[in-house]
Amino acid sequence: MFGNTAGMPKPMSVDESRISSGRLDDMMTLTSSDEEPFTVLLGYNLGRMTWGADITLNKLIEWSSVANDPEKGEVAQRPLDMNHARGLAVYMLKGLINAAIARRRLQNKDVPESFVSVLHQLGSQPYFSLQPFVANIRDVDPERPSVRAERVVSNAGETRGFQVFLPRHFRWWMIDGQHRLVGGQLVKEFLEMLLKTGSYPARNNLYTARGKVAAEDMIVWMEALECARSFATVQIELHLGLSIEQERQLFHDLNNLGKKVTRSLSLKFDASNPITKFIEDVLINELKLKDCESEQSDWNNDDGALSRRDIVAVNATAFLNKGNVAGATPALVEPRVETVSRMWSAIQGIRDFGQPGAKTKTVAAQPVVLKAVAKIVFDLAFSNRRPDNGDTLLDTFLSRLNSIDFSHRNPMWRFYELTEGQRDEAGLRGLGTYLPEEGRVTPDANRDLGSYQGDLMRFGAKHNDIFPVLADMLRWKLKLPNRHQK
């Protein structure tokens, strides 16, 4: 693998005088039509020779292959997750529009409002970049010259890199980046189909609009595709002549040796999603909601803060009726911001919420209860099945939320643990009609809401089973419509 040219390893073993003249006669002789030139920088990643290059997205797609199909050869990659690839495709589409805007500014051209509008609809963010791809050229033998090349030299005679002429059958076998690669393919197909037909594709549509493309938007998509072909580049690190075993080892190391960022910190730093942006701009900065990186498990040391992960989950329920914020777009979120802001203002009006020791003073400090509140807000404000008087009911709910007894001692939270007589004595008669199966416990449903010990009601970890039931209890308490009765 290591040559002795001036005592430094080289990608090819050649005579130094021939390098300076730009001719490497020791290499394979191929006609120019069989090859394509790439300018690369040599590196030695932990002693292993690599080539680094900046290439356009289209060129990456053209030259890359993924070893994840056992019918086509040995597998050195994980199975493809199309949902993940599609999410990356949307990100890359946004990046190409950002590139088109940047190119216009470099060319001293005006940026039409349509560019900004399309990017906003997809979801803008402060910065766009893709991490480097990592691939292996199996056909390059690191022990002997395998390709033709020329040294790239500055006017001062300093080596700036090498221009290698790769035969077109030398595939780049992707080690790290297969989902980004497929995401790029989806973007390319989307743009080409859109420009060919003049309409947004019925399948694999990466944009929020449908039907015919507006004339002012067509130029946006045209320039985005042009950037993929000629302006927007990605970085790739090419390893040389790795075996299948070595590819698998490198795949493992790249995907497992890094420390994973906590979910709360990741969500805190993400300004691309309109819901996480709402949390930062409105809840944290305006309403002064206290957040932390991880939930405080010791309730005696609770400072009243909610973990960013839990804040995101509550807002995902309020905005989308989902457990996560994936797929949120500005077009969907922005019209709902005012309503969800009102919800949080009402929550902050609950006694002891957000105060030191809140978890020991109010069940409203537990995220599952906040999800129940968020579920009611979604049902009354945004659901396709919202009642005709949903706005009035929502006003009633938010204005009277702080009238509910959110203390741990409220027997309503222990409905399933009480006998019929105890329920009547506690003033819970009629609550059962608001609950699933009219309050009966059935074998196929989880009705274990949590445990009541030491005057503290700790709700369970299965939030998706619990918060709809808690929402039913809140509906009953404020005499809102019963969701189980049509």
Side-chain angles (χ1 to χ4, degrees), residues 85-101:
R86 180 180 171 83
L88 287 167
V90 174
Y91 176 83
M92 295 166 77
L93 181 62
K94 293 190 289 186
L96 289 176
I97 298 172
N98 185 68
I101 293 173

Side-chain angles (χ1 to χ4, degrees), residues 160-433:
R160 297 301 190 193
F162 289 86
Q163 188 171 56
V164 295
F165 298 85
L166 293 181
R168 295 188 181 278
H169 64 277
F170 279 25
R171 304 300 298 167
W172 302 349
W173 291 94
M174 197 59 59
I175 296 173
D176 186 51
Q178 73 152 326
H179 288 93
R180 279 166 278 151
L181 175 64
V182 175
Q185 292 170 339
L186 293 174
V187 171
K188 182 172 178 287
E189 293 168 3
F190 166 76
L191 291 173
E192 289 177 342
M193 179 62 68
L194 180 153
L195 294 174
K196 179 181 178 181
T197 64
S199 300
Y200 293 102
R203 296 183 59 190
N204 297 324
N205 186 3
L206 302 179
Y207 190 51
T208 56
R210 300 290 185 270
K212 289 290 184 181
V213 179
E216 61 271 19
D217 291 345
M218 186 63 77
I219 187 67
V220 179
W221 304 123
M222 290 176 61
E223 294 194 17
L225 182 58
E226 181 58 31
C227 282
R229 292 169 173 166
S230 61
F231 178 70
T233 61
V234 294
Q235 287 190 328
I236 187 167
E237 181 183 76
L238 294 166
H239 291 252
L240 309 175
L242 302 186
S243 65
I244 295 294
E245 181 183 16
Q246 289 171 322
E247 284 188 22
R248 291 170 175 169
Q249 184 66 54
L250 183 54
F251 170 83
H252 167 274
D253 294 348
L254 292 174
N255 286 280
N256 290 280
L257 297 187
K259 180 172 174 57
K260 189 173 182 180
V261 179
T262 64
R263 181 65 173 161
S264 286
L265 186 61
S266 173
L267 293 168
K268 182 175 183 177
F269 286 0
D270 180 19
S272 66
N273 188 288
I275 294 181
T276 59
K277 187 170 177 21
F278 161 79
I279 292 170
E280 188 67 30
D281 293 347
V282 178
L283 300 188
I284 306 299
N285 293 335
E286 292 183 17
L287 298 183
K288 307 303 180 184
L289 183 69
K290 291 191 292 185
D291 74 322
C292 57
E293 186 171 335
S294 58
E295 185 177 5
Q296 177 57 259
S297 57
D298 184 354
W299 286 14
N300 293 319
N301 293 325
D302 174 37
D303 62 357
L306 294 171
S307 77
R308 183 64 67 109
R309 179 177 181 174
D310 289 331
I311 296 173
V312 170
V314 173
N315 281 285
T317 303
F319 278 105
L320 309 174
N321 195 30
K322 291 172 54 177
N324 59 73
V325 296
T329 63
L332 182 63
V333 170
E334 288 176 356
R336 302 178 176 183
V337 163
E338 182 180 355
T339 298
V340 179
S341 298
R342 289 175 57 207
M343 178 193 80
W344 280 103
S345 294
I347 289 172
Q348 289 180 312
I350 297 174
R351 182 178 178 180
D352 295 320
F353 177 84
Q355 302 302 312
K359 282 188 169 60
T360 62
K361 299 174 182 177
T362 174
V363 296
Q366 297 182 55
V368 68
V369 177
L370 301 182
K371 290 179 183 178
V373 173
K375 172 61 174 171
I376 295 176
V377 169
F378 180 88
D379 289 347
L380 297 180
F382 311 131
S383 172
N384 292 332
R385 298 187 298 274
R386 68 189 294 264
D388 294 337
N389 61 338
D391 291 340
T392 301
L393 293 172
L394 180 65
D395 291 340
T396 299
F397 175 63
L398 295 180
S399 64
R400 297 182 57 200
L401 184 64
N402 63 1
S403 69
I404 296 175
D405 178 9
F406 284 101
S407 70
H408 289 269
R409 290 188 174 91
N410 187 343
M412 183 169 68
W413 318 126
R414 291 177 278 124
F415 175 87
Y416 288 103
E417 300 175 18
L418 304 178
T419 65
E420 196 67 41
Q422 290 173 325
R423 293 170 184 173
D424 291 345
E425 185 178 338
L428 301 179
R429 178 173 296 184
L431 173 56
T433 61

